[in-house]
């Protein structure tokens, strides 16, 4: 089974000790593509570096809502410069995260999100959207940019919210959460989303699927997400693998 990991953070410090070895093993284990997503400005720089060094890596550059305070003209200009590299295929991850009280204020997050959506529109790049406990405000901002398309990564909303995102032309990203015992809500979403709008992702080092739940995640484990999706949709895992690869290639305008 071939796998394209549509959302990973191999620049994360948890890979500092063995990053090169892990990436070598990914290649040997049929991982044909990885979109490494920047979370901070430094993460964006590191994502581009990984994409330059590894043929099957691509980069998304953007600033996560947790670091929304970083988003000013200087940072936006650097993202614009970074995006000129041919292996930068998306702006992300960007969005809203209302889960943690210590995150920047909602107003700061919304401004940073809108500024980066404007950048995606200007550069004609798709967006990688992070949305945690901010469904209404996220949808409102996505609707301000009808020309911009992308993926709602690590989708955590209801079936109704998934329908709204599909209507706006977005893909839905599934992580290891779908393999968790209490995953009924996301299983219902998977039943609803057509196969040609599904992406699979690790969000590594986090979100490892069962049987590796709680461990450091890596792209090979997407196999368990694909198997679970296949079961939910009554399909062969091979079909899910093939279609999700077509989907991510289409979104990132590859091949
Ligand atoms: Ni992420």
């Amino acid at each position: 089974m071939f796998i394209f990991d549509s959302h990973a953070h191999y620049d994360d410090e948890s890979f500092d000790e063995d990053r090169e070895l892990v990436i070598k093993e990914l290649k040997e284990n049929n991982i044909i593509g990885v979109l490494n997503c920047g979370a901070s400005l430094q993460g964006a720089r590191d994502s581009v570096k990984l994409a330059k060094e590894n043929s099957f890596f691509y980069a998304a550059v953007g600033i996560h809502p947790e670091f929304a305070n970083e988003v000013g003209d200087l940072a936006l200009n650097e993202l614009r410069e970074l995006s000129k590299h041919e292996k930068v295929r998306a702006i992300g991850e960007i969005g809203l995260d209302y889960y943690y009280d210590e995150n920047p204020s909602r107003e700061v997050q919304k401004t940073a999100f809108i500024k980066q959506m404007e950048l995606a529109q200007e550069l004609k790049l798709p967006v990688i959207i992070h949305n945690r406990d901010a469904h209404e405000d996220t949808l409102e901002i996505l609707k301000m940019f009808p020309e911009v398309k992308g993926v709602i990564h690590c989708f955590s909303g209801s079936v109704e919210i998934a329908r709204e995102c599909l209507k706006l032309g977005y893909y839905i990203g599934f992580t290891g959460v779908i393999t968790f015992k209490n995953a009924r809500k996301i299983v219902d979403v998977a039943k609803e989303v057509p196969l040609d709008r599904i992406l699979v992702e690790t969000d590594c080092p986090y979100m490892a699927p069962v049987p590796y739940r709680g461990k450091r995640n890596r792209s090979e484990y997407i196999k368990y997400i694909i198997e679970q999706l296949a079961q939910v949709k009554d399909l062969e895992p091979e079909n899910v693998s093939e279609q999700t690869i077509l989907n991510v290639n289409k979104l990132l305008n590859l091949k």
Side-chain angles (χ1 to χ4, degrees):
M1 179 191 293
F2 292 108
I3 287 168
F4 193 130
D5 186 348
S6 67
H7 189 116
H9 301 282
Y10 284 106
D11 56 301
D12 187 90
E13 61 182 8
S14 63
F15 292 103
D16 279 354
E17 275 186 12
D18 59 353
R19 184 173 296 107
E20 256 178 66
L21 175 67
V22 170
I23 292 176
K24 183 174 159 278
E25 289 170 350
L26 296 181
K27 202 168 184 184
E28 290 163 359
N29 292 331
N30 288 338
I31 311 304
I32 60 166
V34 173
L35 182 69
N36 204 85
C37 299
S40 60
L41 196 50
Q42 188 55 47
R45 293 176 192 132
D46 293 340
S47 296
V48 175
K49 185 167 177 281
L50 282 171
K52 283 180 180 169
E53 289 168 353
N54 300 285
S55 60
F56 65 115
F57 268 62
Y58 301 89
V61 297
I63 295 170
H64 187 285
E66 194 187 336
F67 303 107
N69 286 318
E70 284 186 4
V71 180
D73 287 342
L74 216 60
L76 288 165
N77 270 334
E78 186 169 347
L79 294 178
R80 190 180 283 110
E81 279 305 307
L82 285 170
S83 73
K84 286 180 180 159
H85 194 277
E86 56 163 358
K87 293 194 85 184
V88 175
R89 311 306 293 195
I91 298 296
E93 55 180 297
I94 60 174
L96 301 172
D97 193 323
Y98 296 167
Y99 183 77
Y100 294 106
D101 288 335
E102 59 270 34
N103 274 352
S105 74
R106 293 180 178 200
E107 284 316 307
V108 168
Q109 289 192 39
K110 282 198 243 182
T111 304
F113 184 18
I114 290 169
K115 292 253 178 233
Q116 294 182 92
M117 287 295 286
E118 287 170 354
L119 185 66
Q121 180 161 282
E122 171 196 324
L123 298 168
K124 297 192 167 49
L125 285 171
V127 288
I128 313 298
I129 300 296
H130 174 100
N131 159 28
R132 196 167 184 198
D133 291 351
H135 304 309
E136 258 181 54
D137 288 355
T138 299
L139 280 170
E140 197 181 301
I141 292 172
L142 295 185
K143 282 177 189 164
M144 289 165 57
F145 298 89
E147 292 158 42
V148 179
K149 298 292 177 263
V151 55
I152 314 297
H153 116 82
C154 192
F155 188 85
S156 60
S158 62
V159 168
E160 288 71 31
I161 304 225
R163 280 195 198 116
E164 290 245 27
C165 296
L166 291 170
K167 230 189 284 169
L168 291 170
Y170 279 76
Y171 289 85
I172 304 293
F174 290 87
T175 62
V177 172
I178 196 170
T179 67
F180 296 175
K181 278 233 150 33
N182 54 356
R184 236 193 61 201
K185 193 169 151 197
I186 192 70
V187 165
D188 287 342
V189 170
K191 284 181 187 156
E192 177 76 15
V193 179
L195 187 59
D196 65 0
R197 300 292 282 282
I198 287 178
L199 298 188
V200 288
E201 57 168 286
T202 51
D203 202 16
C204 68
Y206 314 106
M207 299 288 176
V210 174
Y212 296 102
R213 187 172 181 177
K215 301 266 176 7
R216 187 179 73 171
N217 200 358
R218 49 189 290 164
S219 305
E220 291 95 333
Y221 300 168
I222 284 181
K223 170 171 108 83
Y224 299 99
I225 302 171
I226 288 176
E227 285 171 355
Q228 176 67 10
L229 283 167
Q231 201 182 339
V232 168
K233 298 188 88 66
D234 199 16
L235 295 163
E236 292 301 319
E238 270 313 314
N239 300 128
V240 176
S241 149
E242 282 165 20
Q243 186 62 48
T244 53
I245 289 168
L246 289 175
N247 297 346
V248 70
N249 279 330
K250 192 170 171 195
L251 178 68
L252 303 181
N253 201 13
L254 295 166
K255 280 166 198 161

